[in-house]
Amino acid sequence: MITDWHFYALAVPAVILLGLSKGGFAGMGALSLPLLAFAVDPVRAAAITLPILIAQDVVGVWAFRRTVDWRLLGWMLPGSMLGIALGYGFAASVSSAAVMGMVGAISILFGAYRLWAASHAAPRDPARWPDWIGSLFGIASGFTSQIAHAGQPPFQLWVLPRNLPRDLLVGTTALFFAATNWIKVPAYWALGQFTPANVMTSAALLPLALVSTVAGVRLVRRVDAARFYTAIHVLMILVGIALVAEAAF
């Protein structure tokens, strides 16, 4: 188990953000891995947070298991599997600095996308492209999810224009990322990241993640989410720039 207090100084806020994200502040958890990358190797950081994400997914999948767009998932999940394989290949073949730079770049793009999306409504008409195009977005989502647990933007770019009913959107999103997280398990196992130290660290942080998830459910209707999100996404861009700079120099 990791005992360095510097790690936990970053891990505690990172896990709280994961919990709040699962509790209703969608997208906020994407800042977690970039934060942890300042304390440990980014691949190790992703492996530590993966069991936490899987545990948190159970709640969302169970709650919305009857409202899922299976056709959409049927096209996107195979693409996600390929994207995860590509992400694994990237992480296995380059240095930790290169992975850190990629995490930083994804963080910048994610933050910029969310800031842009906050001021631009999704198209009202459903996407006109053929369903197989969804597999390409699935590849992008799987790759960014494998590298930085940040698969939301590619997924949303394909799904949101379809204007799914709320529960169908939430259920489809929950199941897609729950499946994606489980698909990532063999990749992180192959990278040798499920060590006893990493697993015990995940277990130590899990109670905080679950409490934060419950807190997110209760706070999401009381907090001025717009300002909160803006601050988080600006911070994501700044953290991403810092990670890219650290990787480069």
Side-chain angles (χ1 to χ4, degrees), residues 61 83 128 233:
V61 171
R128 301 293 183 182
H233 297 143

Side-chain angles (χ1 to χ4, degrees), residues 51 143 207:
F143 180 84

Side-chain angles (χ1 to χ4, degrees), residues 68-77 130-132 158 162:
V68 176
D69 188 326
W70 293 103
R71 180 183 179 89
L72 190 152
L73 290 182
W75 285 103
M76 292 200 75
L77 279 175
D131 288 342
W132 66 265
W158 178 246
R162 297 176 176 273

Side-chain angles (χ1 to χ4, degrees), residues 93-176:
S93 60
V94 302
S95 66
S96 60
V99 176
M100 179 180 290
M102 178 64 74
V103 170
I106 291 172
S107 180
I108 294 168
L109 291 173
F110 188 102
Y113 164 73
R114 297 293 297 204
L115 289 174
W116 176 87
S119 58
H120 294 76
R124 293 185 177 181
D125 294 330
R128 301 293 183 182
W129 293 345
D131 288 342
W132 66 265
I133 298 293
S135 297
L136 302 182
F137 285 90
I139 292 172
S141 184
F143 180 84
T144 54
S145 186
Q146 170 68 22
I147 296 295
H149 295 328
Q152 283 273 357
F155 178 84
Q156 291 176 343
L157 284 171
W158 178 246
V159 174
L160 291 185
R162 297 176 176 273
N163 296 317
L164 300 178
R166 185 199 62 184
D167 286 359
L168 193 61
L169 174 62
V170 174
T172 303
T173 302
L175 189 55
F176 175 81

Side-chain angles (χ1 to χ4, degrees), residues 183-209:
I183 295 168
K184 289 188 287 189
V185 169
Y188 281 102
W189 187 280
L191 290 169
Q193 290 299 321
F194 288 133
T195 63
N198 287 351
V199 172
M200 289 179 65
T201 301
S202 299
L205 292 169
L206 182 57
L208 176 61

